[in-house]
PDB file of all heavy atoms in Angstrom:
ATOM      1  N   LYS A  90      -6.093  22.459  -1.958  1.00 91.00           N
ATOM      2  CA  LYS A  90      -7.445  21.913  -1.983  1.00 91.00           C
ATOM      3  C   LYS A  90      -7.737  21.471  -3.406  1.00 91.00           C
ATOM      4  O   LYS A  90      -7.488  22.201  -4.345  1.00 91.00           O
ATOM      5  CB  LYS A  90      -8.462  22.982  -1.592  1.00 91.00           C
ATOM      6  CG  LYS A  90      -9.819  22.415  -1.218  1.00 91.00           C
ATOM      7  CD  LYS A  90     -10.931  23.432  -1.351  1.00 91.00           C
ATOM      8  CE  LYS A  90     -11.450  23.488  -2.773  1.00 91.00           C
ATOM      9  NZ  LYS A  90     -12.016  22.225  -3.286  1.00 91.00           N
ATOM     10  N   PRO A  94     -13.981  17.789  -3.773  1.00 83.00           N
ATOM     11  CA  PRO A  94     -13.624  17.817  -2.362  1.00 83.00           C
ATOM     12  C   PRO A  94     -12.960  16.503  -1.943  1.00 83.00           C
ATOM     13  O   PRO A  94     -13.467  15.430  -2.242  1.00 83.00           O
ATOM     14  CB  PRO A  94     -14.946  17.996  -1.634  1.00 83.00           C
ATOM     15  CG  PRO A  94     -15.993  18.172  -2.645  1.00 83.00           C
ATOM     16  CD  PRO A  94     -15.404  17.993  -4.001  1.00 83.00           C
ATOM     17  N   VAL A  96     -11.982  14.867   1.371  1.00 93.00           N
ATOM     18  CA  VAL A  96     -11.944  14.806   2.832  1.00 93.00           C
ATOM     19  C   VAL A  96     -12.028  13.333   3.199  1.00 93.00           C
ATOM     20  O   VAL A  96     -12.319  12.491   2.361  1.00 93.00           O
ATOM     21  CB  VAL A  96     -13.109  15.591   3.472  1.00 93.00           C
ATOM     22  CG1 VAL A  96     -12.978  17.066   3.178  1.00 93.00           C
ATOM     23  CG2 VAL A  96     -14.454  15.073   2.991  1.00 93.00           C
ATOM     24  N   LEU A 106      -9.787  17.167  11.110  1.00 94.00           N
ATOM     25  CA  LEU A 106      -8.888  18.265  11.456  1.00 94.00           C
ATOM     26  C   LEU A 106      -7.841  17.820  12.473  1.00 94.00           C
ATOM     27  O   LEU A 106      -6.696  18.258  12.433  1.00 94.00           O
ATOM     28  CB  LEU A 106      -9.690  19.452  12.005  1.00 94.00           C
ATOM     29  CG  LEU A 106     -10.648  20.075  10.990  1.00 94.00           C
ATOM     30  CD1 LEU A 106     -11.390  21.241  11.610  1.00 94.00           C
ATOM     31  CD2 LEU A 106      -9.907  20.532   9.755  1.00 94.00           C
ATOM     32  N   THR A 134     -10.865  27.003  14.142  1.00 94.00           N
ATOM     33  CA  THR A 134     -10.996  26.859  12.695  1.00 94.00           C
ATOM     34  C   THR A 134     -12.395  26.396  12.315  1.00 94.00           C
ATOM     35  O   THR A 134     -12.967  26.874  11.337  1.00 94.00           O
ATOM     36  CB  THR A 134      -9.941  25.872  12.164  1.00 94.00           C
ATOM     37  OG1 THR A 134      -8.672  26.241  12.680  1.00 94.00           O
ATOM     38  CG2 THR A 134      -9.899  25.886  10.662  1.00 94.00           C
ATOM     39  N   VAL A 138     -14.934  28.410   9.706  1.00 92.00           N
ATOM     40  CA  VAL A 138     -15.570  27.924   8.479  1.00 92.00           C
ATOM     41  C   VAL A 138     -17.029  27.546   8.727  1.00 92.00           C
ATOM     42  O   VAL A 138     -17.711  27.055   7.823  1.00 92.00           O
ATOM     43  CB  VAL A 138     -14.815  26.718   7.866  1.00 92.00           C
ATOM     44  CG1 VAL A 138     -13.399  27.112   7.503  1.00 92.00           C
ATOM     45  CG2 VAL A 138     -14.822  25.540   8.818  1.00 92.00           C
ATOM     46  N   GLY A 139     -17.495  27.743   9.958  1.00 91.00           N
ATOM     47  CA  GLY A 139     -18.910  27.523  10.243  1.00 91.00           C
ATOM     48  C   GLY A 139     -19.317  26.067  10.318  1.00 91.00           C
ATOM     49  O   GLY A 139     -20.429  25.703   9.949  1.00 91.00           O
ATOM     50  N   LEU A 140     -18.438  25.192  10.796  1.00 94.00           N
ATOM     51  CA  LEU A 140     -18.794  23.785  10.882  1.00 94.00           C
ATOM     52  C   LEU A 140     -18.830  23.278  12.324  1.00 94.00           C
ATOM     53  O   LEU A 140     -18.844  22.079  12.566  1.00 94.00           O
ATOM     54  CB  LEU A 140     -17.805  22.936  10.070  1.00 94.00           C
ATOM     55  CG  LEU A 140     -17.894  23.058   8.546  1.00 94.00           C
ATOM     56  CD1 LEU A 140     -16.789  22.262   7.876  1.00 94.00           C
ATOM     57  CD2 LEU A 140     -19.241  22.578   8.044  1.00 94.00           C
ATOM     58  N   LEU A 151     -21.537  15.339   5.049  1.00 94.00           N
ATOM     59  CA  LEU A 151     -21.645  16.781   4.811  1.00 94.00           C
ATOM     60  C   LEU A 151     -22.117  17.046   3.384  1.00 94.00           C
ATOM     61  O   LEU A 151     -21.903  16.235   2.488  1.00 94.00           O
ATOM     62  CB  LEU A 151     -20.275  17.444   4.996  1.00 94.00           C
ATOM     63  CG  LEU A 151     -19.617  17.376   6.374  1.00 94.00           C
ATOM     64  CD1 LEU A 151     -18.307  18.131   6.348  1.00 94.00           C
ATOM     65  CD2 LEU A 151     -20.533  17.946   7.435  1.00 94.00           C
ATOM     66  N   SER A 152     -22.725  18.214   3.206  1.00 92.00           N
ATOM     67  CA  SER A 152     -23.101  18.608   1.856  1.00 92.00           C
ATOM     68  C   SER A 152     -21.831  18.951   1.083  1.00 92.00           C
ATOM     69  O   SER A 152     -20.757  19.120   1.661  1.00 92.00           O
ATOM     70  CB  SER A 152     -24.023  19.820   1.891  1.00 92.00           C
ATOM     71  OG  SER A 152     -23.274  20.978   2.227  1.00 92.00           O
ATOM     72  N   HIS A 153     -21.993  19.053  -0.224  1.00 90.00           N
ATOM     73  CA  HIS A 153     -20.849  19.339  -1.090  1.00 90.00           C
ATOM     74  C   HIS A 153     -20.120  20.611  -0.639  1.00 90.00           C
ATOM     75  O   HIS A 153     -18.900  20.635  -0.498  1.00 90.00           O
ATOM     76  CB  HIS A 153     -21.344  19.483  -2.528  1.00 90.00           C
ATOM     77  CG  HIS A 153     -20.271  19.747  -3.514  1.00 90.00           C
ATOM     78  ND1 HIS A 153     -19.470  18.754  -4.030  1.00 90.00           N
ATOM     79  CD2 HIS A 153     -19.838  20.903  -4.070  1.00 90.00           C
ATOM     80  CE1 HIS A 153     -18.605  19.288  -4.868  1.00 90.00           C
ATOM     81  NE2 HIS A 153     -18.814  20.588  -4.914  1.00 90.00           N
ATOM     82  N   GLY A 154     -20.904  21.666  -0.384  1.00 90.00           N
ATOM     83  CA  GLY A 154     -20.312  22.937   0.029  1.00 90.00           C
ATOM     84  C   GLY A 154     -19.568  22.816   1.350  1.00 90.00           C
ATOM     85  O   GLY A 154     -18.469  23.336   1.513  1.00 90.00           O
ATOM     86  N   GLU A 155     -20.178  22.091   2.293  1.00 93.00           N
ATOM     87  CA  GLU A 155     -19.544  21.925   3.606  1.00 93.00           C
ATOM     88  C   GLU A 155     -18.242  21.145   3.502  1.00 93.00           C
ATOM     89  O   GLU A 155     -17.286  21.412   4.222  1.00 93.00           O
ATOM     90  CB  GLU A 155     -20.507  21.218   4.563  1.00 93.00           C
ATOM     91  CG  GLU A 155     -21.659  22.093   5.010  1.00 93.00           C
ATOM     92  CD  GLU A 155     -22.728  21.302   5.756  1.00 93.00           C
ATOM     93  OE1 GLU A 155     -23.036  20.170   5.335  1.00 93.00           O
ATOM     94  OE2 GLU A 155     -23.249  21.816   6.743  1.00 93.00           O
ATOM     95  N   GLN A 156     -18.217  20.177   2.575  1.00 93.00           N
ATOM     96  CA  GLN A 156     -16.972  19.429   2.383  1.00 93.00           C
ATOM     97  C   GLN A 156     -15.866  20.347   1.867  1.00 93.00           C
ATOM     98  O   GLN A 156     -14.702  20.221   2.253  1.00 93.00           O
ATOM     99  CB  GLN A 156     -17.191  18.264   1.413  1.00 93.00           C
ATOM    100  CG  GLN A 156     -18.060  17.178   2.018  1.00 93.00           C
ATOM    101  CD  GLN A 156     -18.062  15.896   1.199  1.00 93.00           C
ATOM    102  OE1 GLN A 156     -17.365  15.761   0.198  1.00 93.00           O
ATOM    103  NE2 GLN A 156     -18.856  14.941   1.648  1.00 93.00           N
ATOM    104  N   GLN A 157     -16.255  21.274   0.987  1.00 92.00           N
ATOM    105  CA  GLN A 157     -15.255  22.232   0.485  1.00 92.00           C
ATOM    106  C   GLN A 157     -14.706  23.074   1.633  1.00 92.00           C
ATOM    107  O   GLN A 157     -13.504  23.319   1.718  1.00 92.00           O
ATOM    108  CB  GLN A 157     -15.890  23.176  -0.552  1.00 92.00           C
ATOM    109  CG  GLN A 157     -16.570  22.487  -1.705  1.00 92.00           C
ATOM    110  CD  GLN A 157     -15.677  22.403  -2.935  1.00 92.00           C
ATOM    111  OE1 GLN A 157     -14.484  22.194  -2.805  1.00 92.00           O
ATOM    112  NE2 GLN A 157     -16.261  22.555  -4.107  1.00 92.00           N
ATOM    113  N   TRP A 158     -15.594  23.490   2.541  1.00 94.00           N
ATOM    114  CA  TRP A 158     -15.142  24.295   3.686  1.00 94.00           C
ATOM    115  C   TRP A 158     -14.247  23.471   4.588  1.00 94.00           C
ATOM    116  O   TRP A 158     -13.267  23.962   5.121  1.00 94.00           O
ATOM    117  CB  TRP A 158     -16.345  24.825   4.472  1.00 94.00           C
ATOM    118  CG  TRP A 158     -17.123  25.852   3.731  1.00 94.00           C
ATOM    119  CD1 TRP A 158     -16.630  26.706   2.780  1.00 94.00           C
ATOM    120  CD2 TRP A 158     -18.510  26.150   3.852  1.00 94.00           C
ATOM    121  NE1 TRP A 158     -17.634  27.504   2.304  1.00 94.00           N
ATOM    122  CE2 TRP A 158     -18.794  27.197   2.944  1.00 94.00           C
ATOM    123  CE3 TRP A 158     -19.536  25.651   4.638  1.00 94.00           C
ATOM    124  CZ2 TRP A 158     -20.068  27.735   2.811  1.00 94.00           C
ATOM    125  CZ3 TRP A 158     -20.809  26.193   4.502  1.00 94.00           C
ATOM    126  CH2 TRP A 158     -21.068  27.220   3.598  1.00 94.00           C
ATOM    127  N   LEU A 159     -14.637  22.209   4.766  1.00 95.00           N
ATOM    128  CA  LEU A 159     -13.816  21.348   5.617  1.00 95.00           C
ATOM    129  C   LEU A 159     -12.412  21.219   5.037  1.00 95.00           C
ATOM    130  O   LEU A 159     -11.415  21.258   5.761  1.00 95.00           O
ATOM    131  CB  LEU A 159     -14.467  19.968   5.763  1.00 95.00           C
ATOM    132  CG  LEU A 159     -13.666  18.943   6.573  1.00 95.00           C
ATOM    133  CD1 LEU A 159     -13.371  19.450   7.974  1.00 95.00           C
ATOM    134  CD2 LEU A 159     -14.406  17.610   6.649  1.00 95.00           C
ATOM    135  N   GLU A 160     -12.359  21.108   3.726  1.00 93.00           N
ATOM    136  CA  GLU A 160     -11.039  20.957   3.122  1.00 93.00           C
ATOM    137  C   GLU A 160     -10.218  22.237   3.293  1.00 93.00           C
ATOM    138  O   GLU A 160      -9.003  22.186   3.523  1.00 93.00           O
ATOM    139  CB  GLU A 160     -11.161  20.575   1.645  1.00 93.00           C
ATOM    140  CG  GLU A 160      -9.950  19.792   1.171  1.00 93.00           C
ATOM    141  CD  GLU A 160     -10.037  19.358  -0.274  1.00 93.00           C
ATOM    142  OE1 GLU A 160     -11.122  19.460  -0.867  1.00 93.00           O
ATOM    143  OE2 GLU A 160      -9.015  18.916  -0.805  1.00 93.00           O
ATOM    144  N   ILE A 161     -10.881  23.378   3.196  1.00 93.00           N
ATOM    145  CA  ILE A 161     -10.179  24.640   3.455  1.00 93.00           C
ATOM    146  C   ILE A 161      -9.723  24.684   4.913  1.00 93.00           C
ATOM    147  O   ILE A 161      -8.602  25.101   5.224  1.00 93.00           O
ATOM    148  CB  ILE A 161     -11.079  25.845   3.105  1.00 93.00           C
ATOM    149  CG1 ILE A 161     -11.341  25.877   1.595  1.00 93.00           C
ATOM    150  CG2 ILE A 161     -10.429  27.153   3.561  1.00 93.00           C
ATOM    151  CD1 ILE A 161     -12.324  26.933   1.146  1.00 93.00           C
ATOM    152  N   ALA A 162     -10.609  24.192   5.805  1.00 94.00           N
ATOM    153  CA  ALA A 162     -10.265  24.173   7.232  1.00 94.00           C
ATOM    154  C   ALA A 162      -9.024  23.316   7.485  1.00 94.00           C
ATOM    155  O   ALA A 162      -8.187  23.651   8.327  1.00 94.00           O
ATOM    156  CB  ALA A 162     -11.445  23.640   8.048  1.00 94.00           C
ATOM    157  N   ILE A 163      -8.895  22.226   6.741  1.00 93.00           N
ATOM    158  CA  ILE A 163      -7.716  21.360   6.891  1.00 93.00           C
ATOM    159  C   ILE A 163      -6.452  22.171   6.604  1.00 93.00           C
ATOM    160  O   ILE A 163      -5.472  22.099   7.336  1.00 93.00           O
ATOM    161  CB  ILE A 163      -7.815  20.135   5.951  1.00 93.00           C
ATOM    162  CG1 ILE A 163      -8.878  19.160   6.472  1.00 93.00           C
ATOM    163  CG2 ILE A 163      -6.475  19.430   5.836  1.00 93.00           C
ATOM    164  CD1 ILE A 163      -9.141  17.977   5.570  1.00 93.00           C
ATOM    165  N   LEU A 164      -6.499  22.988   5.542  1.00 92.00           N
ATOM    166  CA  LEU A 164      -5.331  23.802   5.203  1.00 92.00           C
ATOM    167  C   LEU A 164      -5.075  24.845   6.295  1.00 92.00           C
ATOM    168  O   LEU A 164      -3.931  25.167   6.615  1.00 92.00           O
ATOM    169  CB  LEU A 164      -5.514  24.507   3.867  1.00 92.00           C
ATOM    170  CG  LEU A 164      -5.858  23.637   2.664  1.00 92.00           C
ATOM    171  CD1 LEU A 164      -5.809  24.471   1.393  1.00 92.00           C
ATOM    172  CD2 LEU A 164      -4.897  22.476   2.552  1.00 92.00           C
ATOM    173  N   LEU A 165      -6.159  25.350   6.869  1.00 92.00           N
ATOM    174  CA  LEU A 165      -6.006  26.398   7.885  1.00 92.00           C
ATOM    175  C   LEU A 165      -5.376  25.851   9.165  1.00 92.00           C
ATOM    176  O   LEU A 165      -4.491  26.489   9.733  1.00 92.00           O
ATOM    177  CB  LEU A 165      -7.356  27.045   8.203  1.00 92.00           C
ATOM    178  CG  LEU A 165      -7.960  27.873   7.062  1.00 92.00           C
ATOM    179  CD1 LEU A 165      -9.295  28.471   7.482  1.00 92.00           C
ATOM    180  CD2 LEU A 165      -7.000  28.976   6.625  1.00 92.00           C
ATOM    181  N   PRO A 177     -12.810  26.399  -5.607  1.00 90.00           N
ATOM    182  CA  PRO A 177     -13.420  26.207  -4.300  1.00 90.00           C
ATOM    183  C   PRO A 177     -14.932  26.424  -4.280  1.00 90.00           C
ATOM    184  O   PRO A 177     -15.590  25.948  -3.361  1.00 90.00           O
ATOM    185  CB  PRO A 177     -12.730  27.251  -3.426  1.00 90.00           C
ATOM    186  CG  PRO A 177     -12.254  28.285  -4.369  1.00 90.00           C
ATOM    187  CD  PRO A 177     -11.930  27.575  -5.636  1.00 90.00           C
ATOM    188  N   VAL A 178     -15.504  27.096  -5.253  1.00 90.00           N
ATOM    189  CA  VAL A 178     -16.955  27.329  -5.195  1.00 90.00           C
ATOM    190  C   VAL A 178     -17.727  26.492  -6.204  1.00 90.00           C
ATOM    191  O   VAL A 178     -18.932  26.661  -6.360  1.00 90.00           O
ATOM    192  CB  VAL A 178     -17.326  28.830  -5.369  1.00 90.00           C
ATOM    193  CG1 VAL A 178     -16.735  29.639  -4.244  1.00 90.00           C
ATOM    194  CG2 VAL A 178     -16.902  29.350  -6.724  1.00 90.00           C
ATOM    195  N   MET A 181     -21.420  25.068  -5.603  1.00 89.00           N
ATOM    196  CA  MET A 181     -21.989  25.684  -4.407  1.00 89.00           C
ATOM    197  C   MET A 181     -23.220  26.502  -4.754  1.00 89.00           C
ATOM    198  O   MET A 181     -23.337  27.033  -5.862  1.00 89.00           O
ATOM    199  CB  MET A 181     -20.957  26.601  -3.742  1.00 89.00           C
ATOM    200  CG  MET A 181     -19.939  25.874  -2.902  1.00 89.00           C
ATOM    201  SD  MET A 181     -19.006  27.050  -1.915  1.00 89.00           S
ATOM    202  CE  MET A 181     -17.975  25.933  -0.979  1.00 89.00           C
ATOM    203  N   PRO A 184     -25.671  31.461  -1.700  1.00 91.00           N
ATOM    204  CA  PRO A 184     -25.244  31.878  -0.360  1.00 91.00           C
ATOM    205  C   PRO A 184     -23.928  31.228   0.072  1.00 91.00           C
ATOM    206  O   PRO A 184     -23.103  31.860   0.725  1.00 91.00           O
ATOM    207  CB  PRO A 184     -26.382  31.428   0.562  1.00 91.00           C
ATOM    208  CG  PRO A 184     -27.471  30.941  -0.300  1.00 91.00           C
ATOM    209  CD  PRO A 184     -27.009  30.866  -1.694  1.00 91.00           C
ATOM    210  N   GLU A 185     -23.747  29.979  -0.337  1.00 91.00           N
ATOM    211  CA  GLU A 185     -22.494  29.303   0.001  1.00 91.00           C
ATOM    212  C   GLU A 185     -21.312  29.991  -0.663  1.00 91.00           C
ATOM    213  O   GLU A 185     -20.240  30.135  -0.070  1.00 91.00           O
ATOM    214  CB  GLU A 185     -22.549  27.828  -0.435  1.00 91.00           C
ATOM    215  CG  GLU A 185     -23.382  26.946   0.484  1.00 91.00           C
ATOM    216  CD  GLU A 185     -23.504  25.519  -0.036  1.00 91.00           C
ATOM    217  OE1 GLU A 185     -23.464  25.305  -1.266  1.00 91.00           O
ATOM    218  OE2 GLU A 185     -23.651  24.614   0.804  1.00 91.00           O
ATOM    219  N   ARG A 186     -21.517  30.414  -1.899  1.00 92.00           N
ATOM    220  CA  ARG A 186     -20.428  31.090  -2.605  1.00 92.00           C
ATOM    221  C   ARG A 186     -20.068  32.398  -1.927  1.00 92.00           C
ATOM    222  O   ARG A 186     -18.907  32.748  -1.782  1.00 92.00           O
ATOM    223  CB  ARG A 186     -20.832  31.358  -4.060  1.00 92.00           C
ATOM    224  CG  ARG A 186     -20.539  30.188  -4.959  1.00 92.00           C
ATOM    225  CD  ARG A 186     -20.742  30.554  -6.384  1.00 92.00           C
ATOM    226  NE  ARG A 186     -22.065  31.143  -6.597  1.00 92.00           N
ATOM    227  CZ  ARG A 186     -22.651  31.264  -7.772  1.00 92.00           C
ATOM    228  NH1 ARG A 186     -22.029  30.859  -8.842  1.00 92.00           N
ATOM    229  NH2 ARG A 186     -23.837  31.801  -7.882  1.00 92.00           N
ATOM    230  N   GLU A 187     -21.108  33.127  -1.493  1.00 92.00           N
ATOM    231  CA  GLU A 187     -20.870  34.392  -0.784  1.00 92.00           C
ATOM    232  C   GLU A 187     -19.996  34.134   0.443  1.00 92.00           C
ATOM    233  O   GLU A 187     -19.001  34.816   0.666  1.00 92.00           O
ATOM    234  CB  GLU A 187     -22.213  34.986  -0.320  1.00 92.00           C
ATOM    235  CG  GLU A 187     -23.135  35.403  -1.446  1.00 92.00           C
ATOM    236  CD  GLU A 187     -22.707  36.733  -2.046  1.00 92.00           C
ATOM    237  OE1 GLU A 187     -22.230  37.584  -1.271  1.00 92.00           O
ATOM    238  OE2 GLU A 187     -22.833  36.897  -3.273  1.00 92.00           O
ATOM    239  N   ARG A 188     -20.405  33.142   1.226  1.00 91.00           N
ATOM    240  CA  ARG A 188     -19.663  32.831   2.455  1.00 91.00           C
ATOM    241  C   ARG A 188     -18.229  32.438   2.145  1.00 91.00           C
ATOM    242  O   ARG A 188     -17.300  32.839   2.848  1.00 91.00           O
ATOM    243  CB  ARG A 188     -20.347  31.675   3.198  1.00 91.00           C
ATOM    244  CG  ARG A 188     -21.586  32.074   3.938  1.00 91.00           C
ATOM    245  CD  ARG A 188     -21.874  31.106   5.031  1.00 91.00           C
ATOM    246  NE  ARG A 188     -20.667  30.791   5.807  1.00 91.00           N
ATOM    247  CZ  ARG A 188     -20.656  29.990   6.843  1.00 91.00           C
ATOM    248  NH1 ARG A 188     -21.755  29.411   7.227  1.00 91.00           N
ATOM    249  NH2 ARG A 188     -19.545  29.760   7.498  1.00 91.00           N
ATOM    250  N   THR A 189     -18.068  31.632   1.075  1.00 92.00           N
ATOM    251  CA  THR A 189     -16.720  31.201   0.722  1.00 92.00           C
ATOM    252  C   THR A 189     -15.860  32.392   0.329  1.00 92.00           C
ATOM    253  O   THR A 189     -14.698  32.493   0.728  1.00 92.00           O
ATOM    254  CB  THR A 189     -16.771  30.182  -0.433  1.00 92.00           C
ATOM    255  OG1 THR A 189     -17.697  29.163  -0.088  1.00 92.00           O
ATOM    256  CG2 THR A 189     -15.417  29.579  -0.687  1.00 92.00           C
ATOM    257  N   GLY A 190     -16.457  33.302  -0.441  1.00 92.00           N
ATOM    258  CA  GLY A 190     -15.732  34.497  -0.848  1.00 92.00           C
ATOM    259  C   GLY A 190     -15.247  35.300   0.354  1.00 92.00           C
ATOM    260  O   GLY A 190     -14.087  35.722   0.417  1.00 92.00           O
ATOM    261  N   LEU A 192     -14.793  34.171   3.321  1.00 91.00           N
ATOM    262  CA  LEU A 192     -13.787  33.354   3.984  1.00 91.00           C
ATOM    263  C   LEU A 192     -12.423  33.545   3.325  1.00 91.00           C
ATOM    264  O   LEU A 192     -11.418  33.787   4.001  1.00 91.00           O
ATOM    265  CB  LEU A 192     -14.218  31.893   3.917  1.00 91.00           C
ATOM    266  CG  LEU A 192     -13.349  30.858   4.622  1.00 91.00           C
ATOM    267  CD1 LEU A 192     -13.330  31.131   6.120  1.00 91.00           C
ATOM    268  CD2 LEU A 192     -13.874  29.451   4.354  1.00 91.00           C
TER     269      LEU A 192
ATOM    270  N   GLY B  17     -26.239  22.947   4.095  1.00 32.00           N
ATOM    271  CA  GLY B  17     -25.721  24.198   3.569  1.00 32.00           C
ATOM    272  C   GLY B  17     -25.648  25.330   4.565  1.00 32.00           C
ATOM    273  O   GLY B  17     -25.070  26.347   4.292  1.00 32.00           O
ATOM    274  N   THR B  18     -26.218  25.156   5.743  1.00 34.00           N
ATOM    275  CA  THR B  18     -26.095  26.229   6.718  1.00 34.00           C
ATOM    276  C   THR B  18     -25.382  25.712   7.941  1.00 34.00           C
ATOM    277  O   THR B  18     -25.358  24.520   8.197  1.00 34.00           O
ATOM    278  CB  THR B  18     -27.468  26.751   7.161  1.00 34.00           C
ATOM    279  OG1 THR B  18     -28.155  25.677   7.800  1.00 34.00           O
ATOM    280  CG2 THR B  18     -28.267  27.270   5.998  1.00 34.00           C
ATOM    281  N   ALA B  19     -24.807  26.621   8.675  1.00 36.00           N
ATOM    282  CA  ALA B  19     -24.003  26.173   9.803  1.00 36.00           C
ATOM    283  C   ALA B  19     -24.830  26.129  11.084  1.00 36.00           C
ATOM    284  O   ALA B  19     -24.658  25.255  11.914  1.00 36.00           O
ATOM    285  CB  ALA B  19     -22.829  27.099  10.000  1.00 36.00           C
TER     286      ALA B  19
END
Side-chain angles (χ1 to χ4, degrees):
Chain A
K90 196 202 85 61
V96 295
L106 296 180
T134 310
V138 299
L140 289 175
L151 298 182
S152 73
H153 181 81
E155 288 170 319
Q156 290 192 4
Q157 305 263 38
W158 291 332
L159 177 57
E160 207 178 348
I161 294 174
I163 288 175
L164 305 188
L165 292 180
V178 298
M181 280 192 177
E185 284 176 331
R186 274 189 308 197
E187 295 282 325
R188 283 203 46 178
T189 309
L192 183 63
Chain B
T18 63

